[in-house]
Amino acid sequence: MGPQVLFATDDWFAAADNLLKAVHRPPPGLSLGSGPWAWNFRLLRAADQSEADSCSEQQCHRRGGGCCQYETCLRPRIVAESQATGFVQREAPQWKAEDFTNFGKWMDGWETRRKRIPGHDWCVIKLGVPGVIHGFDVDTSYFTGNYTPRLSIAAACLNADEVPDLPSRGEKMGTAASEEDFEAIRKLMPEFWTELVPMTILQPGYVDTCHNYLPAQQLRQWTHIRLNMYPDGGIARLRAYGIGHKDWSAVSQKQAIDLVAMTNGGVCLGYSDAHFGHPKNIIGIGRSSVMSDGWETARRLDRPPVLKADDQGVLQVPGYEWAVFKLGHPGIITHIEIDTSHFKGNFPDSCEIEGCAITPEEEKERIAMMWKECLGLKWKLLLPVTKLKPHQQHFYSIEMKDIVTHVRLKIKPDGGISRMRLLGYPGTLPAVNL
């Protein structure tokens, strides 16, 4: 189940669900190791590819991976000119100058009516992935004379039995919450909610001001968020950035699990190149449906003018591209999947995977140094240099006895991969490594 708007006070011009159409657009000016925003993934994405295509997530509509250190979304319910569902969609906001509906100007986002009664508009969203939120991007693109002037955001960590049985939202444009809706949502008591972003002034939806980046004031696990508009107006997209959370106490050490999956807390901590696609994508949910949902590098300029291969057909090139991932839990990896789906003329010639076990302090040092080779990390070979094929899933079984906390994927000479899965068993590091 992906992110969804559970309640919105008004969906007149555009439904709150549109907020979840978010695409990943990290805050400007951040580079590797410059803080948690640099590595966040969106928690508002949907659970799998089919949902991503049918729903307008976690703010992308797929619960995509976490690269860097620390991302997700729920479903709002107040929309007038634009439905609340729109602001959580995967696509970037669009502007259609000539489009009008029976309720007013069509807007790609969530837009409520001009309020003529006491109160303010708000919506409740269920995150696509429970996790620790580090910050938000409130995108007001194209909402220039109709953007909401202020907002606040609260969050809650709710068990399934604490979430009320809410009526299905369906097609919400041109509607407002009914008394039945309000009665149901009141069961989410005020004491459930913790303020993450206090009332904050937003900027209008012009190109140079539309992204409002807001840090979360409490770093804890959440399952739902409540977005408050003051008093009304429009927002194009909502993106929540953080790290997915897995209850590892409920996972047996005899149970095989994808240790690097974003939903299990895996994150990408560094990479050499992400020209066409970020490596965080390859630990996302389900299989990718498009090339852009993978990791793709630029073409390396140090390739020989004439390429040569060894006896196994592996190209002999001097350089490679790499990405480092932190596992959601230390563990022993037994099976590897490398998926080059959609990469037909731009797949890597070969790949190699290494692992290591390091402490959180050592991790911080490596991030600060951008994982330079000179730091002398003792990488252990998990998958030797292996020839890859285009548009295909590759499966490997490995014999490994050592517990690792981090892995490094190398691709030669360059190219793209859509997914990486590292199946194995969670384990506990010896005290000397803690």
Side-chain angles (χ1 to χ4, degrees), residues 16 35 74 128 152 158 173 220 288 339 362 404 417:
L74 300 183
S152 69
L158 304 173
M173 182 180 287
R220 292 162 44 193
S288 66
D339 188 352
E362 290 174 318
V404 297
I417 287 176

Side-chain angles (χ1 to χ4, degrees), residues 129-140:
V129 179
V132 178
I133 298 175
H134 283 251
F136 300 88
D137 173 12
V138 182
D139 185 351
T140 58

Side-chain angles (χ1 to χ4, degrees), residues 71-138:
E71 165 184 280
T72 295
C73 169
L74 300 183
R75 159 176 124 177
R77 209 186 217 198
I78 290 186
V79 184
E81 294 170 356
S82 307
Q83 303 179 70
T85 50
F87 75 160
V88 292
Q89 310 248 2
R90 178 174 177 78
E91 308 85 32
Q94 301 179 38
W95 172 254
K96 298 180 180 180
E98 306 301 323
D99 282 18
F100 286 79
T101 72
N102 291 334
F103 310 104
K105 178 69 182 74
W106 181 88
M107 295 296 294
D108 191 4
W110 174 33
E111 186 181 1
T112 69
R113 285 172 283 196
R114 301 185 187 219
K115 211 156 188 66
R116 300 296 183 256
I117 58 175
H120 66 89
D121 289 322
W122 52 279
C123 65
V124 173
I125 303 172
K126 176 185 177 182
L127 296 179
V129 179
V132 178
I133 298 175
H134 283 251
F136 300 88
D137 173 12
V138 182

Side-chain angles (χ1 to χ4, degrees), residues 24-30 37 135-139 197 200 202 209-216 239 241:
H24 179 54
R25 190 177 286 120
L30 290 177
W37 282 85
F136 300 88
D137 173 12
V138 182
D139 185 351
V197 178
T200 301
L202 297 181
T209 60
C210 61
H211 291 285
N212 299 265
Y213 297 110
L214 309 171
R239 303 171 180 93
Y241 294 89

Side-chain angles (χ1 to χ4, degrees), residues 3-307:
Q4 57 178 158
V5 176
L6 301 181
F7 172 87
T9 55
D10 184 283
D11 293 276
W12 186 264
F13 296 109
D17 306 68
N18 293 322
L19 292 175
L20 304 181
K21 287 182 179 176
V23 286
H24 179 54
R25 190 177 286 120
L30 290 177
S31 58
L32 182 63
S34 64
W37 282 85
W39 304 118
N40 288 357
F41 68 84
R42 295 184 305 285
L43 297 176
L44 287 179
R45 296 189 171 180
D48 57 34
Q49 186 55 53
S50 59
E51 288 182 345
D53 295 336
S54 61
C55 282
S56 271
E57 177 217 7
Q58 195 177 18
Q59 286 171 8
C60 184
H61 265 199
R62 264 188 322 279
R63 294 169 178 163
C67 180
C68 304
Q69 302 178 109
Y70 309 97
E71 165 184 280
T72 295
C73 169
L74 300 183
R75 159 176 124 177
R77 209 186 217 198
I78 290 186
V79 184
E81 294 170 356
S82 307
Q83 303 179 70
T85 50
F87 75 160
V88 292
Q89 310 248 2
R90 178 174 177 78
E91 308 85 32
Q94 301 179 38
W95 172 254
K96 298 180 180 180
E98 306 301 323
D99 282 18
F100 286 79
T101 72
N102 291 334
F103 310 104
K105 178 69 182 74
W106 181 88
M107 295 296 294
D108 191 4
W110 174 33
E111 186 181 1
T112 69
R113 285 172 283 196
R114 301 185 187 219
K115 211 156 188 66
R116 300 296 183 256
I117 58 175
H120 66 89
D121 289 322
W122 52 279
C123 65
V124 173
I125 303 172
K126 176 185 177 182
L127 296 179
V129 179
V132 178
I133 298 175
H134 283 251
F136 300 88
D137 173 12
V138 182
D139 185 351
T140 58
S141 290
Y142 305 114
F143 288 89
T144 54
N146 54 346
Y147 69 100
T148 185
R150 299 173 183 82
L151 67 64
S152 69
I153 300 175
C157 187
L158 304 173
N159 298 321
D161 57 356
E162 293 177 318
V163 180
D165 186 13
L166 295 164
S168 175
R169 281 182 50 75
E171 177 60 42
K172 300 304 296 183
M173 182 180 287
T175 67
S178 66
E179 286 301 321
E180 178 186 10
D181 295 333
F182 275 109
E183 184 63 29
I185 203 66
R186 287 191 188 104
K187 295 177 182 178
L188 293 181
M189 307 298 287
E191 55 266 27
F192 290 168
W193 299 100
T194 299
E195 186 175 76
L196 297 188
V197 178
M199 187 183 295
T200 301
I201 295 176
L202 297 181
Q203 298 300 312
Y206 299 107
V207 174
D208 57 343
T209 60
C210 61
H211 291 285
N212 299 265
Y213 297 110
L214 309 171
Q217 296 195 338
Q218 294 199 39
L219 302 183
R220 292 162 44 193
Q221 180 190 353
W222 310 109
T223 60
H224 295 70
I225 57 177
R226 170 173 166 158
L227 185 151
N228 300 301
M229 284 183 173
Y230 299 108
D232 54 33
I235 297 171
R237 297 290 188 270
L238 174 66
R239 303 171 180 93
Y241 294 89
I243 279 192
H245 177 82
K246 178 75 175 179
D247 181 7
W248 289 99
S249 65
V251 179
S252 168
Q253 293 195 352
K254 297 181 179 181
Q255 176 183 344
I257 190 170
D258 186 355
L259 295 169
V260 78
M262 177 275 296
T263 52
N264 294 333
V267 292
C268 173
L269 296 180
Y271 57 89
S272 59
D273 185 281
H275 192 87
F276 296 108
H278 204 294
K280 72 180 180 59
N281 294 331
I282 70 175
I283 57 173
I285 289 183
R287 300 191 62 194
S288 66
S289 63
V290 292
M291 188 186 299
S292 61
D293 188 35
W295 172 36
E296 184 180 1
T297 72
R299 300 189 191 212
R300 289 188 65 89
L301 301 180
D302 59 358
R303 292 169 296 153
V306 179
L307 300 177

